[in-house]
């Protein structure tokens, strides 16, 4: 009996030993899931366990409209995105976004190795795809603030709102140097001057967090769960195409490319930017999506960028003309050039099949695939996706918060540029009095939130009207700003009889461009949208007027300037219209300076500061300044007190003199 018992204990001990050994082996097997391991070791461990199918799946990014849990699991998809306007449902809440994204993520986690996917979205001026988000001014306005610290705070606020919807990755910032305002994406550029664009890369530290002092140059960095992975775009020269034609050819020598279009990428890499997006455009006839010398040779090897390179939307298709006409060649050329993740976004199985065939037949070496997947995994580990793959509701109240709207309002007032203040040597019109009898507010853009926000807002091409998201129009802001006794009369396109028959003290005219994005915004004429010119002529020809121009770039304005008393470039200010009235009525002074040259005629274009033929209407760095009403009152009070004190002193002196001589 005792012998049997000993035997039984022996068997039990052996089982325990084998089980313990198996658990130990299991821990070793899951090294890539151990957050205590160095990121590089986790990447290597995971990569060694991956099949070719799993590796290629990581290189694919698809649109949410073709994603579901099963697709994610069976195809090992590395990333999902929302294209412009692609949302779970109309006016989706933060919770709706989180629920959708978590469903996709659960599919990824159910795959053999459980590699989490990363969800990306265009958040180019706030979380612009999402209903009720704070919409900040577009970059063209932010460049006029000359305030990198402000832009950093905008990045941090944007990151919070993006994370509020469960998204950890944004396709921002755009660091293009727009050299021709005829380009439909010019409003996505901070300036024609690369130095301003470089300064504004500070938004990356807002989005991702500040890179630690001892952090290795070129490595991607994401601080914590309140931050997002950023994307510097579009590499490289996208703002320099001939005549500003979108996706076209940038003709410039190597020195010009390095000195104008490349510097902001140096800064972005030093700030730990996680990803870089390749441009649709070409450099001297070579498509950037197929340019191995620049993508691999310069960006990865010379600049030591260690994050991953992503294509633009169907960007590899456009390597050929017409797009997609030789898809296999496009796949080969882009991957060999150094593109790591491909934004397919719909027909992903064809891409997977073509790339798999090329690797198996040694057309594309396995080393190139491993390089791409290592980079993608490095970013995923760095941003904490393996530890926190599923989003929760803890940040939902950050979406459109009052704190962020206050920040956007600050950005608006600092971005406005005062171009004219006073007609023909007359007294300045601005700041306007809040208490007066009757004010006319006119113009197509005065009460239109969609026009105010511009493209890349809710929908790809933007929207029209006031119902697609929440915010304050310029008209709404005026009503909030003036004295309760002041009468506001709004007329979108008033006739001359109406203007003449009402005794208006002054008029505020708000006109500009309609919303647009990318190629739809390319314009050879850059004209003010009708009936803008007629409104200016009708109103400003009769009564004192300030004209506010809502536009994504300088437009033709010279023919109307002489009839205008005050002229303000408001760019595309976003949802917080009160930032406009803050300076209009003198609560704050105007401080913005042009980050773009304002031309006289389109015949002068392209024309940038320091060009030999430089003859602008308003030069680069121009901007009139005003003082706030509060400062003016304090100054006048101080001056009055000074005069009083002076009179008092003189009087005392005279009395003393008379007394002494009497």
């Amino acid at each position: 009996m005792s012998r049997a018992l000993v035997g039984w204990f022996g068997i039990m001990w052996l089982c325990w030993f084998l089980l313990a050994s198996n658990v130990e082996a299991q821990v070793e097997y899951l090294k890539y899931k151990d957050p205590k391991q160095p990121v590089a070791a986790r990447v290597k461990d995971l990569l060694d366990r991956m099949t070719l199918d799993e590796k290629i799946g990581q290189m694919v990014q698809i649109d949410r409209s073709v994603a579901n849990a099963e697709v994610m699991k069976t195809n090992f998809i590395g990333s999902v995105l929302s294209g412009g306007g692609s949302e779970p449902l109309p006016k989706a809440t933060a919770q709706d976004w989180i629920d959708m994204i978590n469903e996709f993520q659960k599919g990824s986690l159910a795959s053999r190795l459980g590699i989490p996917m990363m969800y990306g979205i265009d958040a180019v001026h706030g979380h612009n795809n999402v209903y009720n988000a704070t919409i900040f001014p577009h970059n063209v306005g932010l460049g006029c603030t000359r305030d990198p610290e402000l832009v950093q705070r905008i990045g941090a606020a944007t990151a919070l709102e993006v994370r509020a919807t469960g998204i950890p990755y944004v396709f921002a910032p755009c660091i293009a140097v727009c050299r021709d305002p005829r380009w439909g994406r010019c409003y996505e550029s901070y300036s024609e001057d690369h130095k301003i664009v470089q300064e504004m890369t500070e938004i990356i530290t807002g989005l991702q967090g500040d890179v630690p002092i001892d952090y290795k140059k070129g490595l991607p960095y994401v601080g914590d769960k309140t931050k997002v992975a950023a994307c510097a775009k579009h590499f490289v020269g996208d703002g320099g195409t001939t005549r500003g034609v979108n996706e076209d050819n940038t003709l410039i020598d190597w020195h010009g490319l390095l000195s104008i279009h490349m510097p902001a990428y140096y800064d972005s890499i030093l700030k730990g930017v996680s990803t870089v997006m390749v441009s649709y455009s070409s450099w001297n006839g070579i498509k950037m999506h197929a340019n191995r010398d620049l993508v691999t040779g310069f960006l990865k090897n010379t600049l030591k960028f260690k994050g991953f390179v992503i294509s633009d939307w169907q960007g590899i298709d456009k390597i050929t003309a017409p797009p997609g006409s030789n898809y296999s060649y496009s796949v080969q050329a882009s991957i060999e050039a150094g593109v790591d993740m491909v934004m397919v976004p719909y027909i992903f199985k064809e891409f997977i099949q073509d790339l798999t065939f090329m690797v198996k037949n040694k057309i594309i070496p396995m080393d190139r695939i491993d390089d791409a997947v290592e980079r993608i995994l490095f970013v995923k580990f760095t941003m904490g996706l393996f530890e926190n793959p599923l989003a929760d509701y803890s940040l939902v109240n950050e979406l459109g918060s009052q704190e962020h709207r206050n920040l956007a309002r600050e950005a608006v007032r600092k971005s406005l540029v005062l171009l004219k203040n006073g007609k023909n040597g007359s007294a300045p019109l601005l700041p306007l009095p809040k208490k007066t009898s009757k004010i006319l507010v006119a113009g197509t853009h005065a009460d239109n939130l969609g026009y105010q926000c511009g493209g890349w807002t809710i929908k790809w091409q933007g929207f029209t009207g006031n119902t697609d998201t929440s915010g304050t129009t310029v008209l709404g802001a005026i009503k909030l700003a003036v004295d309760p006794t002041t009468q506001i009369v709004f007329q979108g396109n008033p006739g001359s009889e109406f203007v003449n028959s009402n005794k208006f003290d002054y008029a505020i005219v708000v006109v500009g461009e309609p919303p647009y994005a990318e190629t739809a915004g390319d314009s050879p004429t850059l004209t003010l949208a009708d009936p803008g010119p007629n409104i200016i002529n009708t109103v400003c020809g009769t009564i004192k007027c300030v004209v506010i121009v809502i536009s994504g770039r300088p437009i033709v304005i010279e023919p109307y300037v002489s009839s205008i008393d005050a002229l303000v470039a408001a760019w595309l200010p976003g949802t917080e219209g009160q930032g406009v009235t803050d300076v209009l009525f003198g609560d704050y002074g105007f401080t913005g300076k042009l980050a773009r040259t304002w031309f006289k005629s389109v015949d002068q274009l392209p024309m940038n500061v320091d060009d030999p033929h430089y003859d602008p209407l308003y030069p680069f760095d121009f901007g009139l300044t005003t003082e706030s009403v509060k400062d003016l009152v304090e100054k006048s009070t101080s001056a009055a007190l000074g005069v009083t004190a002076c009179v008092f002193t003189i009087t005392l002196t005279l009395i003393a003199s008379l007394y002494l001589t009497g």
Side-chain angles (χ1 to χ4, degrees):
M1 184 72 177
S2 60
R3 194 175 287 177
L5 189 62
V6 170
W8 184 81
F9 275 118
I11 292 168
M12 289 295 292
W13 182 86
L14 181 62
C15 289
W16 177 85
F17 176 79
L18 290 172
L19 182 63
S21 300
N22 188 50
V23 169
E24 196 173 309
Q26 184 73 4
V27 170
E28 176 63 25
Y29 176 73
L30 297 176
K31 182 196 288 188
Y32 71 91
K33 290 191 175 181
D34 182 0
K36 295 177 183 177
Q37 293 288 336
V39 171
R42 298 176 76 183
V43 170
K44 184 180 185 306
D45 183 72
L46 179 52
L47 191 68
D48 288 345
R49 304 182 190 284
M50 294 174 71
T51 65
L52 178 61
D53 288 345
E54 288 166 332
K55 290 176 180 178
I56 288 176
Q58 285 299 301
M59 298 172 67
V60 177
Q61 186 179 64
I62 62 175
D63 186 73
R64 56 152 291 281
S65 60
V66 296
N68 58 52
E70 187 61 24
V71 165
M72 302 305 293
K73 177 183 175 182
T74 57
N75 294 279
F76 318 108
I77 300 297
S79 184
V80 181
L81 84 151
S82 279
S86 183
E87 58 190 352
L89 49 94
K91 297 187 177 179
T93 64
Q95 292 93 327
D96 293 328
W97 281 92
I98 289 171
D99 292 342
M100 175 193 70
I101 292 164
N102 280 350
E103 279 305 303
F104 300 153
Q105 191 68 282
K106 288 171 185 175
S108 296
L109 298 176
S111 64
R112 184 178 74 92
L113 294 171
I115 303 173
M117 66 89 188
M118 59 189 295
Y119 199 100
I121 197 165
D122 285 285
V124 295
H125 62 140
H127 199 6
N128 51 264
N129 232 37
V130 176
Y131 177 74
N132 204 37
T134 306
I135 304 300
F136 293 92
H138 266 297
N139 290 353
V140 66
L142 295 181
C144 297
T145 68
R146 303 294 202 279
D147 192 342
E149 187 271 339
L150 170 68
V151 170
Q152 182 189 45
R153 286 189 284 136
I154 289 171
T158 300
L160 275 173
E161 296 210 10
V162 171
R163 280 287 194 172
T165 56
I167 298 172
Y169 176 32
V170 298
F171 308 123
C174 178
I175 54 173
V177 182
C178 175
R179 304 291 284 175
D180 193 323
R182 291 174 289 188
W183 186 35
R185 304 191 79 150
C186 201
Y187 62 77
E188 297 183 55
S189 169
Y190 293 106
S191 178
E192 69 189 43
D193 180 10
H194 70 84
K195 292 188 289 295
I196 291 176
V197 179
Q198 285 178 269
E199 290 172 359
M200 295 303 170
T201 59
E202 197 63 23
I203 194 173
I204 293 169
T205 64
L207 292 165
Q208 297 192 155
D210 283 305
V211 176
I213 294 172
D214 58 349
Y215 207 70
K216 187 177 178 182
K217 174 189 171 184
L219 289 182
Y221 178 78
V222 180
D224 55 43
K225 288 197 294 182
T226 65
K227 300 297 181 181
V228 294
C231 179
K233 63 182 188 181
H234 309 84
F235 189 82
V236 59
D238 51 339
T241 58
T242 304
R243 295 181 301 280
V245 175
N246 190 42
E247 303 181 14
D248 207 57
N249 191 29
T250 297
L251 284 169
I252 194 170
D253 61 20
W254 178 239
H255 177 265
L257 189 74
L258 289 187
S259 61
I260 296 173
H261 299 285
M262 198 70 79
Y265 287 94
Y266 314 152
D267 293 77
S268 299
I269 291 168
L270 288 172
K271 290 178 170 76
V273 73
S274 296
T275 71
V276 170
M277 184 182 289
V278 183
S279 175
Y280 287 127
S281 59
S282 303
W283 176 51
N284 295 338
I286 302 172
K287 286 282 188 181
M288 283 305 310
H289 275 78
N291 196 319
R292 179 178 169 79
D293 288 340
L294 282 176
V295 177
T296 295
F298 196 78
L299 179 63
K300 291 182 175 181
N301 295 342
T302 302
L303 298 184
K304 307 299 182 187
F305 172 63
K306 301 300 182 186
F308 70 79
V309 175
I310 186 169
S311 82
D312 207 333
W313 178 276
Q314 295 179 327
I316 71 167
D317 303 46
K318 298 185 180 186
I319 290 173
T320 59
S325 57
N326 189 343
Y327 192 67
S328 295
Y329 168 75
S330 294
V331 172
Q332 180 183 347
S334 60
I335 302 303
E336 286 180 343
V339 176
D340 302 311
M341 182 179 282
V342 178
M343 197 183 288
V344 182
Y346 302 122
I347 310 171
F348 58 91
K349 290 190 176 179
E350 184 179 353
F351 171 80
I352 291 172
Q353 289 167 2
D354 282 2
L355 185 52
T356 302
F357 175 85
M358 290 176 194
V359 176
K360 286 183 175 179
N361 288 275
K362 303 189 185 317
I363 298 168
I364 292 177
M366 195 67 198
D367 286 352
R368 172 75 272 270
I369 303 301
D370 286 345
D371 170 61
V373 180
E374 280 177 10
R375 290 168 177 274
I376 293 164
L377 293 178
F378 199 100
V379 170
K380 288 186 175 185
F381 279 117
T382 301
M383 62 200 293
L385 264 184
F386 281 80
E387 283 66 62
N388 298 287
L390 295 172
D392 57 44
Y393 301 136
S394 61
L395 295 174
V396 294
N397 291 332
E398 296 289 349
L399 186 70
S401 72
Q402 191 57 50
E403 182 182 354
H404 296 164
R405 291 185 182 277
N406 292 343
L407 175 60
R409 181 174 174 175
E410 176 188 348
V412 173
R413 63 176 176 257
K414 288 182 175 179
S415 68
L416 303 183
V417 180
L418 181 58
L419 300 174
K420 183 180 180 180
N421 192 17
K423 187 190 293 184
N424 303 324
S426 62
L429 179 62
L430 302 180
L432 298 170
K434 292 182 179 181
K435 188 170 185 178
T436 190
S437 177
K438 190 189 294 187
I439 303 170
L440 171 63
V441 180
T444 48
H445 291 56
D447 192 31
N448 194 311
L449 198 60
Y451 282 8
Q452 202 169 289
C453 291
W456 290 111
T457 311
I458 305 301
K459 301 178 180 71
W460 175 39
Q461 294 291 330
F463 67 94
T464 299
N466 298 329
T467 60
D468 285 52
T469 196
S470 58
T472 307
T473 66
V474 175
L475 175 63
I478 293 168
K479 290 178 178 178
L480 291 169
V482 299
D483 188 85
T485 62
T486 299
Q487 184 183 355
I488 303 292
V489 178
F490 173 61
Q491 189 74 257
N493 185 11
S496 55
E497 186 178 339
F498 175 83
V499 175
N500 286 318
S501 61
N502 285 273
K503 295 180 179 179
F504 294 110
D505 295 288
Y506 59 82
I508 301 170
V509 176
V510 194
V511 291
E513 293 185 299
Y516 54 80
E518 300 191 48
T519 304
D522 285 358
S523 173
T525 58
L526 295 175
T527 51
L528 182 66
D530 287 330
N534 184 59
I535 296 169
I536 293 173
N537 290 332
T538 300
V539 176
C540 298
T542 306
I543 52 179
K544 286 184 178 180
C545 76
V546 53
V547 172
I548 300 169
V549 179
I550 305 285
S551 68
R553 54 205 166 182
I555 55 176
V556 175
I557 196 73
E558 188 187 32
Y560 324 111
V561 170
S562 60
S563 64
I564 295 169
D565 293 275
L567 177 62
V568 178
W571 314 112
L572 298 171
T575 52
E576 306 313 303
Q578 286 176 276
V580 176
T581 53
D582 280 345
V583 288
L584 213 59
F585 292 102
D587 293 322
Y588 295 84
F590 280 91
T591 58
K593 302 291 182 183
L594 287 179
R596 302 209 55 79
T597 297
W598 203 296
F599 58 88
K600 294 176 181 176
S601 162
V602 290
D603 297 334
Q604 297 174 295
L605 301 177
M607 179 176 65
N608 296 283
V609 63
D610 296 330
D611 282 352
H613 64 292
Y614 200 67
D615 181 28
L617 179 63
Y618 299 109
F620 175 87
D621 213 31
F622 178 81
L624 302 174
T625 57
T626 60
E627 293 185 274
S628 69
V629 171
K630 180 183 175 183
D631 289 342
L632 289 170
V633 169
E634 286 179 354
K635 275 192 173 182
S636 62
T637 303
S638 298
L641 287 172
V643 170
T644 303
C646 183
V647 170
F648 182 69
T649 302
I650 292 169
T651 304
L652 278 178
T653 303
L654 286 171
I655 292 170
S657 176
L658 288 169
Y659 176 77
L660 289 170
T661 57

